[in-house]
């Protein structure tokens, strides 16, 4: 009998014991790089000058981020890409999910084809659209010229006014299916009884969508939007492949700015300062988003 309480305690602790190694490794992978970046953000360290930090520079690295690099423009481009890209992908994905939910003939094949863009690596998608958007010989450029749409002489990727928009377009093409599939799964989870009750009460399809479907999808949609915004906020692959941050700095994002400073200019101190600025900005944006999304929700 004396061993029973001990066995019960062990059974309660067993899940935590089994999870502990994974949690320790995860914390190490997260906390150590952040601590490393925080320490070196206050030191002058350029690998072209020295393999080790040279001297303590205080907040000079943080000031130089704004003075030497196009950080403000990169922040503007990143927020613009994240907000508009997430907005477009969510509503396009919602439209496709509603279409899939109509059970039209051939929807099974369409669902199978829909996932294909998401399976491509961003680098592959970038190279694909880089050739499609070539000003001379690119299929998309040729089609647009054929229907009378103005194509810049230097192409969409080489024009300062269209480069960032083109990156967002490619990302939307690749990740809208992800929204559509997850939202479609959410639509399938909505009880038919709720929809039938609304129809009996005389609710129109539009009213059912705004008053029933959208609120019931809110937990899934909120999480989906947050995850996708964070991914877009860290956009690098498409920027690197499609425009290399150009022309000039027209399509430079925070991640690309960080890459240029840390892996091209080898300025580790400034790159570390930039890393922490990005961490702070993302944390503020995500916490504000969660506050406004969930402040009226009771769990």
């Amino acid at each position: 009998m004396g061993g029973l309480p001990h066995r019960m305690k062990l059974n309660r602790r067993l899940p935590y014991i089994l999870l502990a190694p994974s949690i320790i490794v995860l914390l190490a992978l997260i906390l150590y790089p952040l601590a490393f970046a925080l320490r070196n953000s206050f030191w002058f360290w350029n690998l072209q000058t020295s393999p080790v930090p040279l001297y303590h520079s205080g907040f000079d690295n943080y000031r130089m981020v704004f003075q030497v690099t196009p950080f403000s423009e990169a922040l503007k481009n990143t927020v613009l890409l994240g907000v508009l890209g997430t907005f477009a992908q969510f509503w396009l994905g919602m439209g496709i999910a509603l279409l899939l939910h109509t059970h039209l003939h051939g929807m099974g094949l369409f669902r199978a084809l829909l996932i294909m863009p998401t399976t491509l690596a961003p680098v592959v998608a970038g190279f694909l659209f880089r050739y499609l958007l070539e000003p001379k010989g690119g299929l998309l450029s040729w089609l647009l010229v054929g229907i009378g749409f103005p194509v810049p002489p230097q192409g969409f990727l080489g024009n300062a006014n269209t480069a960032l928009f083109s990156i967002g377009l490619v990302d939307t093409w690749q990740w809208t299916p992800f929204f559509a599939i997850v939202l479609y799964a959410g639509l399938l989870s909505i009880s038919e009884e709720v929809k039938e009750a609304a129809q009996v009460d005389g609710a129109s399809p539009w009213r059912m969508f705004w008053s029933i479907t959208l609120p019931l999808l809110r937990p899934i949609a909120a999480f989906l939007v947050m995850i996708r915004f964070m991914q877009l906020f860290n956009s690098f692959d498409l920027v690197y492949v499609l425009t290399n941050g150009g022309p000039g700095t027209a399509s430079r994002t925070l991640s690309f700015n960080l890459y240029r400073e840390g892996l091209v200019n080898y300025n580790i101190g400034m790159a570390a300062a930039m890393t922490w600025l990005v961490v702070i900005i993302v944390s503020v944006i995500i916490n504000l988003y969660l506050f406004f999304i969930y402040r009226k929700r009771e769990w």
Side-chain angles (χ1 to χ4, degrees):
M1 292 294 292
L4 184 61
H6 176 73
R7 195 177 301 114
M8 291 175 64
K9 287 182 181 179
L10 183 62
N11 289 338
R12 285 198 298 267
R13 293 174 183 172
L14 184 60
Y16 300 100
I17 295 172
L18 294 176
L19 285 172
S22 300
I23 293 173
I24 292 170
V25 171
L26 185 62
L27 288 175
L29 291 173
I30 295 173
L31 295 179
Y32 176 75
L34 287 176
F36 177 85
L38 182 61
R39 179 192 179 277
N40 288 296
S41 68
F42 298 105
W43 286 77
F44 176 81
W45 185 10
N46 192 309
L47 291 178
Q48 297 181 86
T49 306
S50 169
V52 294
L54 290 180
Y55 59 86
H56 189 270
S57 59
F59 286 92
D60 286 351
N61 285 324
Y62 290 90
R63 285 193 291 269
M64 290 178 68
V65 166
F66 294 95
Q67 295 172 358
V68 177
T69 73
F71 186 84
S72 298
E73 187 173 3
L75 175 60
K76 181 195 72 174
N77 290 340
T78 303
V79 172
L80 194 64
L81 184 64
V83 172
L84 295 183
T86 305
F87 180 84
Q89 290 169 30
F90 174 79
W91 287 110
L92 287 172
M94 178 65 77
I96 295 172
L98 291 171
L99 181 63
L100 291 173
H101 199 52
T102 57
H103 307 295
L104 294 176
H105 183 68
M107 285 294 107
L109 177 61
F110 183 67
R111 283 197 297 269
L113 294 174
L114 187 66
I115 195 64
M116 291 181 66
T118 310
T119 62
L120 293 177
V123 172
V124 175
F127 276 114
L128 172 65
F129 275 86
R130 185 173 174 176
Y131 292 114
L132 288 173
L133 292 170
E134 271 290 321
K136 296 180 180 179
L139 179 60
L140 285 179
S141 297
W142 177 77
L143 289 173
L144 290 171
V145 169
I147 63 174
F149 191 89
V151 176
Q154 61 273 69
F156 291 105
L157 300 176
N159 186 283
N161 297 320
T162 58
L164 189 67
F165 172 79
S166 300
I167 293 171
L169 184 67
V170 177
D171 191 86
T172 299
W173 170 83
Q174 185 172 20
W175 288 103
T176 294
F178 173 70
F179 274 88
I181 291 166
V182 176
L183 292 173
Y184 174 63
L187 289 173
L188 292 177
S189 69
I190 297 175
S191 172
E192 291 294 329
E193 295 177 358
V194 175
K195 292 186 273 189
E196 289 172 2
Q199 289 173 345
V200 170
D201 290 338
S204 65
W206 188 250
R207 174 56 61 186
M208 285 182 61
F209 174 75
W210 281 107
S211 300
I212 297 174
T213 304
L214 208 53
L216 290 175
L217 286 176
R218 184 179 177 182
I220 297 173
F223 179 76
L224 198 57
V225 166
M226 181 180 68
I227 293 298
R228 191 68 198 114
F229 176 81
M230 291 174 66
Q231 289 177 329
L232 272 168
F233 205 88
N234 292 307
S235 293
F236 172 78
D237 315 63
L238 287 179
V239 177
Y240 181 78
V241 173
L242 290 171
T243 64
N244 203 31
T249 57
S251 62
R252 182 173 290 200
T253 59
L254 290 176
S255 294
F256 189 83
N257 212 35
L258 185 58
Y259 155 76
R260 290 284 303 177
E261 205 55 45
L263 296 179
V264 176
N265 298 330
Y266 298 110
N267 196 332
I268 306 302
M270 198 184 301
M274 203 180 300
T275 298
W276 266 95
L277 287 172
V278 172
V279 168
I280 292 169
I281 291 168
V282 171
S283 299
V284 169
I285 292 175
I286 293 302
N287 279 283
L288 285 174
Y289 169 79
L290 292 175
F291 172 77
F292 285 110
I293 288 293
Y294 294 117
R295 60 177 175 172
K296 295 182 180 179
R297 184 176 180 86
E298 296 181 0
W299 294 96

